[in-house]
Amino acid sequence: QVQLVESGGGLVQAAGSLRLSCAASVRFFSFTSMSWYRQSPGKEREWVATITGDMNTDYAISVKGRFTVSRDSVGNRLYLQMNSLKPEDTAVYYCNAEAQLYSFSIPSTYWGQGTQVTVSS
């Protein structure tokens, strides 16, 4: 059983900061990437940030320069440091992993249950 569990969400004022964490219940054999997505009511889920197996990072234009994605050395814990938060950052944030459990496993996509981030003006 594989579980991804997000934590660290909450209520914060505009210009404030939050740090989200995502803990995986297993250590993956390998992974292509780990990412953060977010979804607001009435909107489609959107990609926020990605960190690859070789530690490269990429960000959505809307968060570039404000958010930082990182992971531990084995990829079983993912972080999103969110600074200079804006009301439009309000959403449920989801952890995602594109990974293999074993060398013979089919690469699969795993999702966390989400954590609510609310930014007040």
Side-chain angles (χ1 to χ4, degrees):
Q1 183 178 12
V2 176
Q3 292 182 314
L4 301 179
V5 181
E6 300 94 337
S7 62
L11 176 65
V12 65
Q13 289 186 303
S17 298
L18 281 175
R19 187 184 189 227
L20 305 183
S21 296
C22 172
S25 62
V26 299
R27 291 187 177 184
F28 296 110
F29 173 78
S30 66
F31 60 92
T32 300
S33 63
M34 299 187 76
S35 301
W36 289 98
Y37 289 76
R38 66 186 182 186
Q39 187 169 25
S40 299
K43 298 181 179 180
E44 294 186 344
R45 187 173 297 186
E46 65 174 338
W47 167 74
V48 174
T50 292
I51 185 165
T52 65
D54 59 359
M55 302 297 285
N56 291 136
T57 59
D58 201 7
Y59 301 89
I61 295 174
S62 60
V63 306
K64 187 173 295 184
R66 299 187 297 120
F67 291 10
T68 302
V69 63
S70 60
R71 64 168 178 84
D72 65 13
S73 61
V74 295
N76 65 331
R77 188 171 290 269
L78 180 71
Y79 304 95
L80 185 67
Q81 178 66 48
M82 305 186 293
N83 298 324
S84 302
L85 284 162
K86 305 174 181 179
E88 50 263 45
D89 294 319
T90 295
V92 176
Y93 284 72
Y94 297 90
C95 174
N96 166 274
E98 296 282 345
Q100 296 173 258
L101 291 176
Y102 308 102
S103 63
F104 50 84
S105 298
I106 298 173
S108 300
T109 300
Y110 302 93
W111 291 94
Q113 83 291 341
T115 185
Q116 176 71 48
V117 172
T118 302
V119 184
S120 62
S121 60

